[in-house]
Amino acid sequence: MRSRFDSQLALLNTKLIQMGALCEEAISKAAKALEAGDPALAETVKPLEGEIDQMERDIETLCLKLLLQQQPVARDLRQISAAMKIITDMERIGDQAADIAEIIRACLAQGYVPEDVGHIREMAAEVIKMVTESVDSYVQKDTVRAKLVIAHDDIVDQCFDRVKQVLIGSIAANPDCGEHALDLLMIDKYLERIGDHAVNIAEWVIFAVTGEHKGEAL
């Protein structure tokens, strides 16, 4: 019985890794679409959001089966409960990546192609790193890595502040571009929120291992 339970836990880990990889791909494609001014690439993010949503449902079903059929002990119960929380955050990450792609698509449809988005690309790379590390820390039951993800959020917040200041400067220099600068600021804000969700995931990892939880970011 225990060997079957362990194999199902291993399957749960595999599915979480796959879901995390889809989130990373969605963020990466959205960022590349912005940098390249490529509406076709932006369009590819929406189907990924659908795959992420489906994986959330699949993993939730697996977790419920483990809870109902296997009657897990305390640590296993925390691991499964944490997984159910984690997939909610990953689903929201998928939503926010899709929102970024939609903003990009709308800007490009209006003929606006951002010229200097290197700072946003860098921020996207930082949040992808956080998502990857947070999911890996769950699979490895590694609270040290989870705590590094939480600490890394300060870097993403600093990126957000830098991008915000650049965009404020752009609006001051050219008020006619104010609407599109606000679009870029929204993209920046969505990336910052993705970082917050990665922090949530890391906090649930710590809960799964130790039983302690500080609470989700709002």
Side-chain angles (χ1 to χ4, degrees):
M1 182 66 75
R2 180 69 205 189
S3 61
R4 174 174 170 77
F5 182 74
D6 287 340
S7 68
Q8 289 180 314
L9 281 180
L11 177 61
L12 172 60
N13 289 344
T14 298
K15 286 184 175 293
L16 280 167
I17 292 171
Q18 291 170 345
M19 189 175 179
L22 287 172
C23 290
E24 295 160 23
E25 183 180 358
I27 302 164
S28 178
K29 283 188 172 181
K32 288 177 181 177
L34 176 65
E35 188 171 20
D38 187 343
L41 186 55
E43 292 283 357
T44 65
V45 177
K46 188 67 176 176
L48 288 173
E49 182 194 15
E51 290 184 53
I52 291 166
D53 289 346
Q54 182 59 54
M55 287 218 70
E56 181 192 26
R57 291 189 289 269
D58 292 346
I59 294 171
E60 184 177 43
T61 298
L62 175 58
C63 287
L64 290 173
K65 285 181 178 178
L66 285 167
L67 290 172
L68 295 173
Q69 296 176 5
Q70 303 295 340
Q71 296 180 332
V73 296
R75 180 163 178 169
D76 294 331
L77 179 60
R78 290 200 308 269
Q79 185 179 353
I80 297 165
S81 300
M84 294 181 73
K85 294 289 189 178
I86 287 168
I87 60 175
T88 298
D89 277 296
M90 286 202 286
E91 188 273 335
R92 290 172 182 165
I93 289 171
D95 289 346
Q96 285 155 354
D99 288 337
I100 291 170
E102 178 57 27
I103 292 172
I104 295 165
R105 189 200 61 75
C107 286
L108 296 175
Q110 295 168 12
Y112 173 67
V113 180
E115 294 180 358
D116 183 14
V117 293
H119 43 288
I120 295 179
R121 181 190 67 241
E122 291 169 9
M123 189 171 177
E126 295 295 344
V127 299
I128 288 171
K129 185 188 302 181
M130 288 180 70
V131 172
T132 302
E133 287 295 305
S134 64
V135 175
D136 285 350
S137 70
Y138 173 86
V139 173
Q140 300 298 326
K141 300 182 178 62
D142 189 337
T143 59
V144 173
R145 290 175 76 175
K147 289 175 182 177
L148 288 174
V149 171
I150 294 169
H152 200 81
D153 193 46
D154 289 340
I155 295 175
V156 171
D157 289 342
Q158 291 166 10
C159 287
F160 174 73
D161 289 337
R162 284 198 300 271
V163 173
K164 183 169 64 175
Q165 291 306 315
V166 168
L167 294 174
I168 289 172
S170 297
I171 294 171
N174 187 358
D176 291 340
C177 292
E179 180 180 350
H180 293 305
L182 288 174
D183 286 334
L184 293 178
L185 184 59
M186 281 300 300
I187 290 172
D188 189 35
K189 185 61 180 175
Y190 280 130
L191 288 171
E192 190 262 346
R193 288 295 296 115
I194 289 171
D196 289 343
H197 286 302
V199 168
N200 284 349
I201 293 170
E203 289 179 342
W204 284 115
V205 172
I206 294 170
F207 166 77
V209 176
T210 69
E212 299 176 1
H213 187 258
K214 293 182 179 180
E216 295 171 275
L218 298 176

